[in-house]
Amino acid sequence: MALPLSQLPSEMIREVRSRKWLAFLLFAIISFAVLGAGFVWPYKYHSQVVIFVDDRNIIRPLMEGSAVTTEISERTSVVREMLWSRDVMSKVARDEEIFGQNARELRNEALERRVDMLRSNMNVRPRGDSYFSIGYTSESPMKAFRIAQRLGQLFISENSASKRKESRNAYDFIDKQVKNYEAILAEVEQKLKKFLSENVDGTEGEANARMAKLRRDLELAQLERSELVARADSLESELQKVEPMLSQGRTADAYSRRIREKEIQLDDLRLRYHDTYPDIIALKEQIAELKRQRSRAAQSGTLDQIPTEGDQLVNPLYQDISSEVAKTRADIRTQESRINSLQSLIAEQEKRMERIQENKAQYSELTRDMEVNEQIYNDLLKRREKARVSMHLDIEGQGLNFRINETAQYPRKPSGPQFHLFASAGLILGALAPFGLAAGVLQIDPRVRARKQLEDGIGLPVLAEIPQVRTPFEKRTDRWLTISVSVCAVLVVAAYGVVVGAALMGVI
Protein backbone atom coordinates (compact mmCIF):
# COMPACT_ATOMS: atom_id res chain seq x y z
CA MET A 1 0.00 0.00 0.00
CA ALA A 2 1.49 3.30 -1.09
CA LEU A 3 1.89 6.13 1.38
CA PRO A 4 -0.41 9.10 0.69
CA LEU A 5 1.40 12.18 -0.61
CA SER A 6 -0.06 14.33 2.14
CA GLN A 7 1.72 12.20 4.73
CA LEU A 8 5.02 12.02 2.87
CA PRO A 9 6.70 15.23 4.27
CA SER A 10 5.99 14.38 7.89
CA GLU A 11 7.13 10.79 7.48
CA MET A 12 10.33 11.94 5.75
CA ILE A 13 11.17 14.19 8.68
CA ARG A 14 10.38 11.41 11.14
CA GLU A 15 12.63 8.97 9.28
CA VAL A 16 15.51 11.48 9.17
CA ARG A 17 15.11 12.25 12.89
CA SER A 18 15.09 8.55 13.73
CA ARG A 19 18.37 8.02 11.82
CA LYS A 20 20.34 11.16 12.60
CA TRP A 21 23.83 9.66 12.25
CA LEU A 22 23.00 8.08 8.89
CA ALA A 23 21.64 11.39 7.65
CA PHE A 24 24.78 13.18 8.93
CA LEU A 25 27.12 10.71 7.20
CA LEU A 26 25.14 10.97 3.96
CA PHE A 27 25.30 14.77 4.16
CA ALA A 28 29.07 14.77 4.73
CA ILE A 29 29.83 12.21 2.03
CA ILE A 30 27.68 13.87 -0.68
CA SER A 31 28.96 17.37 0.13
CA PHE A 32 32.65 16.46 0.05
CA ALA A 33 32.09 14.21 -3.02
CA VAL A 34 30.63 17.10 -5.02
CA LEU A 35 33.42 19.37 -3.75
CA GLY A 36 36.00 16.80 -4.80
CA ALA A 37 34.39 16.65 -8.27
CA GLY A 38 34.88 20.40 -8.47
CA PHE A 39 38.61 19.93 -7.86
CA VAL A 40 39.04 17.28 -10.58
CA TRP A 41 36.53 18.67 -13.09
CA PRO A 42 38.49 19.69 -16.23
CA TYR A 43 38.04 23.32 -17.19
CA LYS A 44 37.20 24.02 -20.83
CA TYR A 45 38.07 27.21 -22.67
CA HIS A 46 35.97 28.24 -25.65
CA SER A 47 36.85 30.61 -28.47
CA GLN A 48 34.81 31.37 -31.58
CA VAL A 49 34.82 33.27 -34.84
CA VAL A 50 31.61 35.03 -35.99
CA ILE A 51 31.03 34.90 -39.77
CA PHE A 52 28.76 37.35 -41.60
CA VAL A 53 26.90 36.13 -44.70
CA ASP A 54 26.95 39.02 -47.16
CA ASP A 55 24.12 38.20 -49.58
CA ARG A 56 22.69 41.71 -49.94
CA ASN A 57 25.47 43.53 -51.73
CA ILE A 58 24.86 45.84 -54.69
CA ILE A 59 25.93 43.26 -57.28
CA ARG A 60 22.98 40.96 -56.58
CA PRO A 61 20.12 43.28 -57.79
CA LEU A 62 22.23 44.60 -60.67
CA MET A 63 22.97 41.11 -62.01
CA GLU A 64 19.49 39.69 -61.35
CA GLY A 65 18.53 37.54 -64.36
CA SER A 66 21.96 37.90 -65.96
CA ALA A 67 23.97 35.82 -63.53
CA VAL A 68 23.38 33.25 -60.83
CA THR A 69 25.12 34.07 -57.56
CA THR A 70 26.17 31.05 -55.54
CA GLU A 71 23.54 30.22 -52.92
CA ILE A 72 24.01 28.26 -49.70
CA SER A 73 21.04 26.57 -48.07
CA GLU A 74 21.17 25.28 -44.50
CA ARG A 75 24.34 27.24 -43.91
CA THR A 76 25.16 25.70 -40.55
CA SER A 77 25.17 22.12 -41.81
CA VAL A 78 27.07 23.13 -44.96
CA VAL A 79 29.74 24.92 -42.93
CA ARG A 80 30.04 21.96 -40.55
CA GLU A 81 30.42 19.51 -43.41
CA MET A 82 33.06 21.69 -45.06
CA LEU A 83 35.10 22.05 -41.87
CA TRP A 84 34.70 18.35 -41.01
CA SER A 85 36.27 17.37 -44.31
CA ARG A 86 39.55 15.53 -43.98
CA ASP A 87 41.49 18.11 -45.99
CA VAL A 88 40.55 20.96 -43.65
CA MET A 89 41.02 18.89 -40.48
CA SER A 90 44.42 17.66 -41.70
CA LYS A 91 45.57 21.23 -42.33
CA VAL A 92 44.63 22.20 -38.77
CA ALA A 93 46.14 19.02 -37.27
CA ARG A 94 49.47 19.69 -39.01
CA ASP A 95 49.59 23.39 -38.15
CA GLU A 96 52.96 24.01 -36.45
CA GLU A 97 51.81 27.26 -34.81
CA ILE A 98 49.17 25.30 -32.89
CA PHE A 99 50.71 21.90 -32.19
CA GLY A 100 54.43 22.61 -32.46
CA GLN A 101 57.15 21.79 -34.94
CA ASN A 102 56.46 18.04 -35.03
CA ALA A 103 52.90 18.54 -36.25
CA ARG A 104 53.78 18.01 -39.91
CA GLU A 105 55.27 14.60 -39.16
CA LEU A 106 51.98 13.12 -37.93
CA ARG A 107 50.98 9.98 -39.80
CA ASN A 108 48.22 7.37 -39.71
CA GLU A 109 46.91 6.68 -36.18
CA ALA A 110 48.30 9.80 -34.51
CA LEU A 111 46.83 11.98 -37.25
CA GLU A 112 43.47 10.19 -36.99
CA ARG A 113 43.33 10.68 -33.20
CA ARG A 114 44.07 14.38 -33.56
CA VAL A 115 41.48 14.79 -36.31
CA ASP A 116 38.86 13.02 -34.17
CA MET A 117 39.76 15.30 -31.26
CA LEU A 118 39.37 18.39 -33.42
CA ARG A 119 36.02 17.23 -34.78
CA SER A 120 34.62 16.39 -31.33
CA ASN A 121 35.55 19.80 -29.86
CA MET A 122 34.51 21.92 -32.85
CA ASN A 123 31.00 23.42 -33.05
CA VAL A 124 29.08 25.52 -35.56
CA ARG A 125 26.00 27.44 -34.40
CA PRO A 126 23.64 29.85 -36.18
CA ARG A 127 23.37 33.38 -34.83
CA GLY A 128 20.44 35.06 -36.51
CA ASP A 129 19.64 35.15 -40.22
CA SER A 130 22.97 36.44 -41.49
CA TYR A 131 25.49 35.27 -38.89
CA PHE A 132 26.91 32.02 -37.60
CA SER A 133 29.82 31.13 -35.34
CA ILE A 134 32.65 28.63 -35.63
CA GLY A 135 33.92 27.69 -32.17
CA TYR A 136 36.43 25.37 -30.57
CA THR A 137 36.64 24.11 -26.98
CA SER A 138 39.90 23.00 -25.39
CA GLU A 139 41.53 22.64 -21.98
CA SER A 140 44.20 25.08 -23.19
CA PRO A 141 42.98 28.63 -23.80
CA MET A 142 45.77 29.23 -26.32
CA LYS A 143 44.83 26.17 -28.37
CA ALA A 144 41.14 27.11 -28.29
CA PHE A 145 42.03 30.61 -29.54
CA ARG A 146 44.42 29.52 -32.29
CA ILE A 147 42.30 26.62 -33.56
CA ALA A 148 39.13 28.78 -33.71
CA GLN A 149 41.07 31.46 -35.58
CA ARG A 150 42.54 28.92 -37.99
CA LEU A 151 39.12 27.30 -38.63
CA GLY A 152 37.64 30.69 -39.55
CA GLN A 153 40.47 31.44 -41.95
CA LEU A 154 40.27 28.00 -43.54
CA PHE A 155 36.50 28.27 -44.00
CA ILE A 156 36.78 31.63 -45.80
CA SER A 157 39.55 30.39 -48.10
CA GLU A 158 37.98 26.98 -48.74
CA ASN A 159 34.58 28.52 -49.44
CA SER A 160 36.03 31.01 -51.93
CA ALA A 161 37.97 28.25 -53.67
CA SER A 162 34.89 26.01 -53.66
CA LYS A 163 32.72 28.72 -55.22
CA ARG A 164 35.30 29.44 -57.91
CA LYS A 165 35.66 25.75 -58.66
CA GLU A 166 31.90 25.24 -58.72
CA SER A 167 31.36 28.18 -61.09
CA ARG A 168 34.20 27.05 -63.34
CA ASN A 169 32.91 23.48 -63.45
CA ALA A 170 29.40 24.72 -64.23
CA TYR A 171 30.70 26.90 -67.08
CA ASP A 172 32.87 24.08 -68.48
CA PHE A 173 29.95 21.64 -68.34
CA ILE A 174 27.52 24.00 -70.08
CA ASP A 175 30.15 24.94 -72.66
CA LYS A 176 30.72 21.26 -73.39
CA GLN A 177 26.99 20.71 -73.81
CA VAL A 178 26.76 23.72 -76.16
CA LYS A 179 29.48 22.24 -78.37
CA ASN A 180 27.77 18.86 -78.34
CA TYR A 181 24.48 20.40 -79.43
CA GLU A 182 26.26 22.40 -82.12
CA ALA A 183 27.47 19.11 -83.58
CA ILE A 184 24.00 17.57 -83.21
CA LEU A 185 22.36 20.56 -84.94
CA ALA A 186 24.87 20.42 -87.79
CA GLU A 187 24.18 16.72 -88.24
CA VAL A 188 20.39 17.22 -88.20
CA GLU A 189 20.67 20.13 -90.66
CA GLN A 190 22.74 17.97 -93.00
CA LYS A 191 20.17 15.17 -92.80
CA LEU A 192 17.34 17.61 -93.51
CA LYS A 193 19.24 19.13 -96.43
CA LYS A 194 19.94 15.70 -97.89
CA PHE A 195 16.31 14.67 -97.43
CA LEU A 196 14.99 17.79 -99.20
CA SER A 197 17.45 17.35 -102.06
CA GLU A 198 16.44 13.71 -102.55
CA ASN A 199 12.69 14.32 -102.21
CA VAL A 200 11.64 17.05 -104.65
CA ASP A 201 7.96 16.16 -104.71
CA GLY A 202 7.07 19.22 -102.70
CA THR A 203 4.77 19.57 -99.75
CA GLU A 204 1.38 18.02 -99.17
CA GLY A 205 -0.35 21.37 -99.70
CA GLU A 206 1.32 21.89 -103.07
CA ALA A 207 0.39 18.35 -104.14
CA ASN A 208 -3.25 18.83 -103.12
CA ALA A 209 -3.43 22.15 -104.99
CA ARG A 210 -1.89 20.55 -108.07
CA MET A 211 -4.33 17.62 -107.89
CA ALA A 212 -7.31 19.96 -107.53
CA LYS A 213 -6.17 21.97 -110.58
CA LEU A 214 -5.72 18.84 -112.69
CA ARG A 215 -9.19 17.59 -111.76
CA ARG A 216 -10.73 20.95 -112.64
CA ASP A 217 -8.95 20.93 -116.00
CA LEU A 218 -10.17 17.37 -116.60
CA GLU A 219 -13.75 18.33 -115.84
CA LEU A 220 -13.52 21.33 -118.18
CA ALA A 221 -11.98 19.20 -120.95
CA GLN A 222 -14.72 16.58 -120.57
CA LEU A 223 -17.38 19.29 -120.65
CA GLU A 224 -15.87 20.85 -123.80
CA ARG A 225 -15.69 17.42 -125.47
CA SER A 226 -19.38 16.85 -124.71
CA GLU A 227 -20.23 20.26 -126.21
CA LEU A 228 -18.14 19.52 -129.29
CA VAL A 229 -19.78 16.10 -129.77
CA ALA A 230 -23.25 17.68 -129.56
CA ARG A 231 -22.23 20.40 -132.02
CA ALA A 232 -20.80 17.84 -134.45
CA ASP A 233 -24.04 15.83 -134.33
CA SER A 234 -26.06 19.00 -134.96
CA LEU A 235 -23.88 20.04 -137.90
CA GLU A 236 -24.10 16.57 -139.46
CA SER A 237 -27.89 16.65 -139.23
CA GLU A 238 -27.91 20.08 -140.93
CA LEU A 239 -25.47 18.84 -143.54
CA GLN A 240 -27.89 16.10 -144.57
CA LYS A 241 -30.54 18.76 -145.35
CA VAL A 242 -28.30 20.80 -147.68
CA GLU A 243 -27.73 19.91 -151.35
CA PRO A 244 -24.08 19.44 -152.15
CA MET A 245 -24.45 20.89 -155.71
CA LEU A 246 -26.36 23.95 -157.02
CA SER A 247 -27.55 24.81 -160.57
CA GLN A 248 -26.46 28.29 -161.51
CA GLY A 249 -29.35 30.37 -162.79
CA ARG A 250 -30.75 33.83 -162.57
CA THR A 251 -34.21 33.20 -161.21
CA ALA A 252 -35.55 35.04 -158.19
CA ASP A 253 -35.72 31.77 -156.36
CA ALA A 254 -32.02 31.24 -156.98
CA TYR A 255 -31.17 34.58 -155.46
CA SER A 256 -33.52 33.97 -152.57
CA ARG A 257 -32.08 30.48 -151.95
CA ARG A 258 -28.56 31.79 -151.89
CA ILE A 259 -29.58 34.62 -149.54
CA ARG A 260 -31.24 32.08 -147.21
CA GLU A 261 -28.14 29.90 -147.28
CA LYS A 262 -25.99 32.87 -146.35
CA GLU A 263 -28.42 33.85 -143.63
CA ILE A 264 -28.30 30.27 -142.23
CA GLN A 265 -24.49 30.46 -142.13
CA LEU A 266 -24.74 33.88 -140.48
CA ASP A 267 -27.11 32.56 -137.80
CA ASP A 268 -24.84 29.62 -137.16
CA LEU A 269 -21.79 31.86 -136.72
CA ARG A 270 -23.69 34.20 -134.45
CA LEU A 271 -24.28 31.28 -132.10
CA ARG A 272 -20.51 31.09 -131.47
CA TYR A 273 -19.06 34.54 -132.22
CA HIS A 274 -19.86 38.21 -131.88
CA ASP A 275 -20.99 40.40 -134.78
CA THR A 276 -17.49 41.82 -135.07
CA TYR A 277 -16.13 38.41 -136.15
CA PRO A 278 -14.63 38.73 -139.70
CA ASP A 279 -16.66 35.85 -141.16
CA ILE A 280 -19.89 37.39 -139.88
CA ILE A 281 -19.00 40.76 -141.44
CA ALA A 282 -18.13 39.08 -144.75
CA LEU A 283 -21.44 37.14 -144.79
CA LYS A 284 -23.37 40.34 -144.13
CA GLU A 285 -21.68 42.00 -147.09
CA GLN A 286 -22.39 38.97 -149.31
CA ILE A 287 -26.07 38.96 -148.31
CA ALA A 288 -26.32 42.70 -149.00
CA GLU A 289 -24.64 42.27 -152.40
CA LEU A 290 -27.02 39.40 -153.34
CA LYS A 291 -29.99 41.53 -152.39
CA ARG A 292 -28.69 44.41 -154.56
CA GLN A 293 -28.10 42.04 -157.49
CA ARG A 294 -31.65 40.70 -157.16
CA SER A 295 -33.02 44.24 -157.11
CA ARG A 296 -31.05 45.29 -160.21
CA ALA A 297 -32.05 42.12 -162.04
CA ALA A 298 -35.68 42.74 -161.19
CA GLN A 299 -35.47 46.36 -162.42
CA SER A 300 -33.73 45.40 -165.67
CA GLY A 301 -36.13 42.52 -166.34
CA THR A 302 -33.40 39.95 -166.68
CA LEU A 303 -34.81 37.53 -164.01
CA ASP A 304 -36.11 34.29 -165.42
CA GLN A 305 -39.45 33.29 -164.03
CA ILE A 306 -38.71 29.67 -164.90
CA PRO A 307 -35.48 28.15 -163.84
CA THR A 308 -33.20 27.20 -166.60
CA GLU A 309 -30.52 24.59 -166.77
CA GLY A 310 -27.12 25.97 -166.02
CA ASP A 311 -23.74 24.97 -164.73
CA GLN A 312 -23.62 22.77 -161.62
CA LEU A 313 -21.81 24.51 -158.76
CA VAL A 314 -20.71 23.23 -155.35
CA ASN A 315 -23.07 24.50 -152.74
CA PRO A 316 -21.05 26.98 -150.55
CA LEU A 317 -23.27 26.24 -147.55
CA TYR A 318 -22.55 22.55 -147.89
CA GLN A 319 -18.85 23.27 -148.05
CA ASP A 320 -19.00 25.52 -144.99
CA ILE A 321 -20.96 23.00 -142.94
CA SER A 322 -18.64 20.18 -144.04
CA SER A 323 -15.60 22.20 -143.02
CA GLU A 324 -17.23 22.97 -139.66
CA VAL A 325 -17.95 19.29 -139.11
CA ALA A 326 -14.33 18.38 -139.89
CA LYS A 327 -13.07 21.15 -137.63
CA THR A 328 -15.37 20.04 -134.80
CA ARG A 329 -14.24 16.42 -135.17
CA ALA A 330 -10.63 17.58 -134.99
CA ASP A 331 -11.44 19.58 -131.84
CA ILE A 332 -13.08 16.48 -130.33
CA ARG A 333 -9.95 14.43 -130.98
CA THR A 334 -7.86 17.24 -129.47
CA GLN A 335 -10.00 17.28 -126.31
CA GLU A 336 -9.84 13.49 -126.05
CA SER A 337 -6.05 13.65 -126.27
CA ARG A 338 -6.07 16.38 -123.63
CA ILE A 339 -8.33 14.27 -121.39
CA ASN A 340 -5.99 11.30 -121.71
CA SER A 341 -3.02 13.49 -120.83
CA LEU A 342 -4.83 14.92 -117.80
CA GLN A 343 -5.77 11.44 -116.63
CA SER A 344 -2.12 10.38 -116.91
CA LEU A 345 -1.04 13.46 -114.95
CA ILE A 346 -3.64 12.72 -112.26
CA ALA A 347 -2.40 9.14 -111.93
CA GLU A 348 1.18 10.39 -111.68
CA GLN A 349 0.10 13.01 -109.13
CA GLU A 350 -1.58 10.32 -107.03
CA LYS A 351 1.70 8.40 -106.95
CA ARG A 352 3.47 11.62 -106.00
CA MET A 353 1.04 12.17 -103.13
CA GLU A 354 1.70 8.64 -101.92
CA ARG A 355 5.43 9.38 -101.89
CA ILE A 356 4.79 12.63 -100.03
CA GLN A 357 2.76 10.81 -97.39
CA GLU A 358 5.53 8.24 -96.98
CA ASN A 359 8.12 11.00 -96.55
CA LYS A 360 5.91 13.11 -94.28
CA ALA A 361 6.70 11.08 -91.14
CA GLN A 362 10.44 11.22 -91.80
CA TYR A 363 10.27 14.95 -92.53
CA SER A 364 8.24 15.57 -89.36
CA GLU A 365 10.79 13.64 -87.31
CA LEU A 366 13.68 15.60 -88.79
CA THR A 367 11.99 18.96 -88.27
CA ARG A 368 10.94 17.99 -84.74
CA ASP A 369 14.50 16.99 -83.86
CA MET A 370 15.68 20.23 -85.42
CA GLU A 371 13.28 22.39 -83.40
CA VAL A 372 13.87 20.59 -80.09
CA ASN A 373 17.64 20.65 -80.45
CA GLU A 374 17.56 24.28 -81.52
CA GLN A 375 15.49 25.25 -78.47
CA ILE A 376 17.86 23.40 -76.15
CA TYR A 377 20.85 24.92 -77.93
CA ASN A 378 19.52 28.48 -77.59
CA ASP A 379 18.70 27.88 -73.93
CA LEU A 380 22.20 26.50 -73.33
CA LEU A 381 23.72 29.55 -75.00
CA LYS A 382 21.90 31.82 -72.55
CA ARG A 383 22.88 29.64 -69.64
CA ARG A 384 26.51 29.60 -70.75
CA GLU A 385 26.64 33.39 -70.77
CA LYS A 386 25.04 33.47 -67.30
CA ALA A 387 27.57 30.90 -66.12
CA ARG A 388 30.39 32.99 -67.59
CA VAL A 389 29.24 36.09 -65.69
CA SER A 390 28.70 34.02 -62.53
CA MET A 391 32.22 32.60 -62.83
CA HIS A 392 33.70 36.10 -63.07
CA LEU A 393 31.59 37.22 -60.10
CA ASP A 394 32.99 34.41 -57.96
CA ILE A 395 36.55 35.00 -59.20
CA GLU A 396 36.30 38.68 -58.27
CA GLY A 397 34.70 37.89 -54.90
CA GLN A 398 31.23 39.28 -55.66
CA GLY A 399 27.84 37.65 -55.15
CA LEU A 400 27.40 35.65 -51.96
CA ASN A 401 30.37 36.30 -49.67
CA PHE A 402 31.43 35.28 -46.18
CA ARG A 403 33.21 37.84 -44.06
CA ILE A 404 34.70 37.51 -40.58
CA ASN A 405 32.56 39.83 -38.49
CA GLU A 406 34.23 39.05 -35.15
CA THR A 407 37.67 37.51 -34.88
CA ALA A 408 38.55 34.84 -32.33
CA GLN A 409 39.21 36.20 -28.82
CA TYR A 410 41.60 34.76 -26.27
CA PRO A 411 39.38 33.09 -23.61
CA ARG A 412 40.09 34.55 -20.14
CA LYS A 413 37.61 32.40 -18.24
CA PRO A 414 36.73 28.75 -18.65
CA SER A 415 33.32 27.82 -19.96
CA GLY A 416 30.95 25.41 -18.24
CA PRO A 417 30.56 24.74 -14.46
CA GLN A 418 33.31 26.27 -12.30
CA PHE A 419 34.59 25.54 -8.76
CA HIS A 420 32.30 27.94 -6.90
CA LEU A 421 29.30 26.30 -8.55
CA PHE A 422 30.47 22.87 -7.34
CA ALA A 423 31.01 24.32 -3.84
CA SER A 424 27.49 25.71 -3.66
CA ALA A 425 25.94 22.60 -5.15
CA GLY A 426 27.82 20.35 -2.67
CA LEU A 427 26.12 21.79 0.43
CA ILE A 428 22.71 21.88 -1.23
CA LEU A 429 22.91 18.34 -2.56
CA GLY A 430 24.34 17.07 0.77
CA ALA A 431 21.45 18.64 2.70
CA LEU A 432 18.82 17.24 0.32
CA ALA A 433 20.35 13.77 0.02
CA PRO A 434 18.96 12.37 3.37
CA PHE A 435 15.46 13.56 2.59
CA GLY A 436 15.63 12.13 -0.91
CA LEU A 437 16.83 8.79 0.40
CA ALA A 438 14.03 8.78 2.99
CA ALA A 439 11.43 9.54 0.30
CA GLY A 440 12.67 6.62 -1.78
CA VAL A 441 12.60 4.22 1.18
CA LEU A 442 9.06 5.29 2.14
CA GLN A 443 7.78 4.50 -1.35
CA ILE A 444 9.00 0.90 -1.19
CA ASP A 445 8.43 0.26 2.56
CA PRO A 446 5.45 -2.16 2.97
CA ARG A 447 4.68 -1.11 6.56
CA VAL A 448 1.50 0.82 7.41
CA ARG A 449 2.39 4.32 8.52
CA ALA A 450 -0.91 6.23 8.22
CA ARG A 451 -4.60 5.70 9.02
CA LYS A 452 -5.61 6.25 5.39
CA GLN A 453 -3.37 3.42 4.26
CA LEU A 454 -5.19 0.97 6.52
CA GLU A 455 -8.67 2.24 5.65
CA ASP A 456 -7.94 2.02 1.91
CA GLY A 457 -6.38 -1.42 2.32
CA ILE A 458 -9.12 -3.22 4.37
CA GLY A 459 -12.05 -1.05 3.39
CA LEU A 460 -13.09 -0.39 7.05
CA PRO A 461 -12.81 2.77 9.19
CA VAL A 462 -10.18 3.01 11.94
CA LEU A 463 -11.89 3.75 15.27
CA ALA A 464 -8.87 4.76 17.36
CA GLU A 465 -5.15 5.49 17.00
CA ILE A 466 -2.59 4.99 19.86
CA PRO A 467 0.11 7.72 19.82
CA GLN A 468 3.80 6.96 20.35
CA VAL A 469 4.89 7.37 24.01
CA ARG A 470 8.56 8.00 24.96
CA THR A 471 10.09 7.71 28.43
CA PRO A 472 12.18 10.54 30.00
CA PHE A 473 15.33 8.50 29.37
CA GLU A 474 14.51 8.17 25.71
CA LYS A 475 13.88 11.87 25.48
CA ARG A 476 17.26 12.71 27.16
CA THR A 477 19.05 10.27 24.87
CA ASP A 478 17.43 11.73 21.76
CA ARG A 479 18.33 15.26 22.89
CA TRP A 480 22.02 14.41 23.40
CA LEU A 481 22.07 12.64 20.06
CA THR A 482 20.61 15.68 18.32
CA ILE A 483 23.21 17.95 19.94
CA SER A 484 26.05 15.65 18.95
CA VAL A 485 24.88 15.42 15.33
CA SER A 486 24.40 19.17 15.13
CA VAL A 487 27.91 19.84 16.51
CA CYS A 488 29.38 17.40 13.99
CA ALA A 489 27.39 18.98 11.18
CA VAL A 490 28.67 22.43 12.16
CA LEU A 491 32.22 21.11 12.22
CA VAL A 492 31.76 19.52 8.80
CA VAL A 493 30.32 22.75 7.34
CA ALA A 494 33.19 24.70 8.87
CA ALA A 495 35.73 22.32 7.38
CA TYR A 496 33.90 22.52 4.05
CA GLY A 497 34.07 26.30 4.16
CA VAL A 498 37.76 26.29 4.99
CA VAL A 499 38.52 23.99 2.03
CA VAL A 500 36.42 26.10 -0.34
CA GLY A 501 38.01 29.32 0.84
CA ALA A 502 41.52 27.91 0.49
CA ALA A 503 40.71 26.74 -3.05
CA LEU A 504 39.27 30.10 -4.07
CA MET A 505 42.31 31.96 -2.65
CA GLY A 506 44.64 29.59 -4.47
CA VAL A 507 46.13 27.99 -1.38
CA ILE A 508 45.21 24.52 -2.61
Side-chain angles (χ1 to χ4, degrees):
M1 294 176 289
L3 182 68
L5 294 178
S6 60
Q7 298 293 327
L8 185 61
S10 60
E11 290 296 326
M12 288 169 55
I13 295 173
R14 190 173 68 84
E15 287 292 329
V16 172
R17 290 180 64 183
S18 64
R19 296 175 174 82
K20 294 182 178 65
W21 283 112
L22 179 61
F24 167 73
L25 291 175
L26 188 61
F27 164 73
I29 293 172
I30 295 299
S31 298
F32 278 97
V34 174
L35 184 62
F39 278 104
V40 298
W41 184 265
Y43 292 144
K44 298 290 185 179
Y45 294 89
H46 182 75
S47 182
Q48 63 181 9
V49 177
V50 179
I51 305 294
F52 171 64
V53 183
D54 184 13
D55 58 352
R56 296 181 178 89
N57 54 18
I58 192 172
I59 291 295
R60 189 179 185 90
L62 290 177
M63 301 306 296
E64 190 73 30
S66 299
V68 179
T69 55
T70 307
E71 297 285 351
I72 295 184
S73 59
E74 300 180 358
R75 297 184 181 118
T76 303
S77 61
V78 171
V79 173
R80 185 181 296 109
E81 291 297 327
M82 179 181 290
L83 294 176
W84 271 47
S85 64
R86 184 170 181 81
D87 292 339
V88 176
M89 288 289 101
S90 298
K91 290 178 182 178
V92 178
R94 290 193 172 100
D95 195 320
E96 295 181 350
E97 294 182 0
I98 300 174
F99 297 102
Q101 296 181 354
N102 296 327
R104 292 187 178 275
E105 299 177 0
L106 286 178
R107 294 291 184 273
N108 302 331
E109 295 183 2
L111 179 61
E112 291 298 328
R113 285 195 299 270
R114 185 169 292 179
V115 168
D116 292 340
M117 184 226 4
L118 291 172
R119 287 175 176 172
S120 60
N121 293 322
M122 184 192 69
N123 58 79
V124 180
R125 296 187 179 92
R127 300 183 60 177
D129 295 335
S130 300
Y131 296 87
F132 62 89
S133 63
I134 302 173
Y136 188 80
T137 304
S138 175
E139 296 180 4
S140 170
M142 183 58 69
K143 282 188 177 180
F145 165 69
R146 288 181 174 176
I147 292 176
Q149 187 179 43
R150 183 60 173 158
L151 287 174
Q153 294 171 351
L154 284 175
F155 170 73
I156 296 297
S157 60
E158 290 291 329
N159 178 73
S160 300
S162 175
K163 287 200 303 178
R164 288 193 294 268
K165 182 179 179 181
E166 179 184 356
S167 300
R168 182 67 187 181
N169 290 339
Y171 174 78
D172 291 340
F173 173 77
I174 297 177
D175 184 62
K176 182 178 179 181
Q177 295 300 314
V178 168
K179 293 178 180 178
N180 289 338
Y181 272 92
E182 283 180 353
I184 293 174
L185 274 178
E187 182 180 356
V188 174
E189 288 176 353
Q190 189 64 29
K191 289 182 179 179
L192 185 60
K193 182 179 179 181
K194 182 179 179 181
F195 174 81
L196 293 176
S197 62
E198 293 177 352
N199 300 275
V200 293
D201 294 324
T203 62
E204 184 179 4
E206 294 174 352
N208 289 330
R210 175 64 175 168
M211 178 64 76
K213 184 178 182 302
L214 290 175
R215 288 175 176 172
R216 286 195 301 270
D217 293 343
L218 179 62
E219 292 175 356
L220 292 175
Q222 291 175 344
L223 181 62
E224 290 181 2
R225 185 186 63 178
S226 300
E227 292 177 353
L228 290 173
V229 169
R231 185 166 180 270
D233 295 338
S234 176
L235 288 174
E236 287 179 352
S237 62
E238 290 294 330
L239 185 62
Q240 293 177 358
K241 298 177 182 179
V242 177
E243 294 294 333
M245 302 298 292
L246 293 176
S247 297
Q248 187 176 9
R250 295 183 177 272
T251 62
D253 291 339
Y255 283 109
S256 298
R257 185 171 60 254
R258 292 184 64 186
I259 291 171
R260 283 198 303 273
E261 290 174 355
K262 297 295 183 181
E263 287 177 347
I264 291 172
Q265 294 180 15
L266 179 63
D267 291 339
D268 183 64
L269 289 175
R270 281 178 172 176
L271 292 175
R272 293 178 293 162
Y273 306 104
H274 293 288
D275 289 345
T276 56
Y277 191 68
D279 292 344
I280 294 177
I281 295 173
L283 284 173
K284 286 182 179 181
E285 292 177 354
Q286 292 175 7
I287 292 170
E289 179 63 26
L290 288 173
K291 287 181 179 181
R292 285 195 296 271
Q293 290 179 4
R294 186 178 63 180
S295 297
R296 287 196 298 268
Q299 291 176 0
S300 62
T302 58
L303 286 176
D304 297 331
Q305 298 298 326
I306 299 173
T308 59
E309 295 295 332
D311 297 333
Q312 295 291 323
L313 299 175
V314 177
N315 192 345
L317 179 60
Y318 185 85
Q319 288 181 340
D320 292 339
I321 294 175
S322 298
S323 63
E324 286 296 328
V325 170
K327 181 180 179 182
T328 303
R329 290 297 180 186
D331 291 341
I332 290 174
R333 288 191 295 272
T334 301
Q335 291 299 327
E336 288 178 348
S337 176
R338 182 184 178 191
I339 289 171
N340 293 331
S341 299
L342 289 173
Q343 288 176 346
S344 300
L345 290 175
I346 289 174
E348 183 180 351
Q349 189 65 22
E350 288 176 350
K351 294 180 181 179
R352 177 189 174 192
M353 291 182 68
E354 291 178 358
R355 292 194 302 271
I356 291 175
Q357 291 297 329
E358 292 175 357
N359 297 330
K360 184 178 179 181
Q362 185 177 358
Y363 179 77
S364 299
E365 182 178 357
L366 289 174
T367 54
R368 182 173 60 251
D369 291 345
M370 183 76 177
E371 292 173 357
V372 171
N373 290 321
E374 189 173 3
Q375 290 176 359
I376 297 175
Y377 175 72
N378 292 332
D379 183 64
L380 285 174
L381 283 179
K382 296 178 182 178
R383 292 178 183 273
R384 184 177 67 176
E385 294 308 312
K386 289 184 179 181
R388 189 198 305 275
V389 178
S390 302
M391 180 178 62
H392 288 297
L393 284 177
D394 288 333
I395 291 174
E396 297 177 6
Q398 303 296 335
L400 178 64
N401 289 323
F402 292 96
R403 187 174 67 246
I404 296 179
N405 186 69
E406 182 180 335
T407 59
Q409 301 295 323
Y410 184 84
R412 297 182 179 275
K413 295 181 180 180
S415 59
Q418 301 182 25
F419 180 77
H420 63 274
L421 181 61
F422 281 95
S424 302
L427 289 177
I428 296 173
L429 293 176
L432 295 177
F435 295 97
L437 180 60
V441 171
L442 290 174
Q443 293 298 322
I444 62 176
D445 191 1
R447 291 179 295 175
V448 177
R449 295 176 178 271
R451 173 187 293 183
K452 185 172 178 58
Q453 280 182 284
L454 189 59
E455 290 178 348
D456 292 341
I458 63 177
L460 297 174
V462 177
L463 299 178
E465 183 178 357
I466 300 174
Q468 183 179 6
V469 178
R470 294 191 300 170
T471 63
F473 176 76
E474 291 176 343
K475 291 180 179 180
R476 288 193 302 270
T477 304
D478 183 65
R479 189 181 302 116
W480 280 107
L481 181 60
T482 302
I483 292 172
S484 301
V485 172
S486 299
V487 171
C488 292
V490 170
L491 293 176
V492 169
V493 171
Y496 190 90
V498 170
V499 174
V500 170
L504 292 176
M505 288 187 295
V507 178
I508 57 176

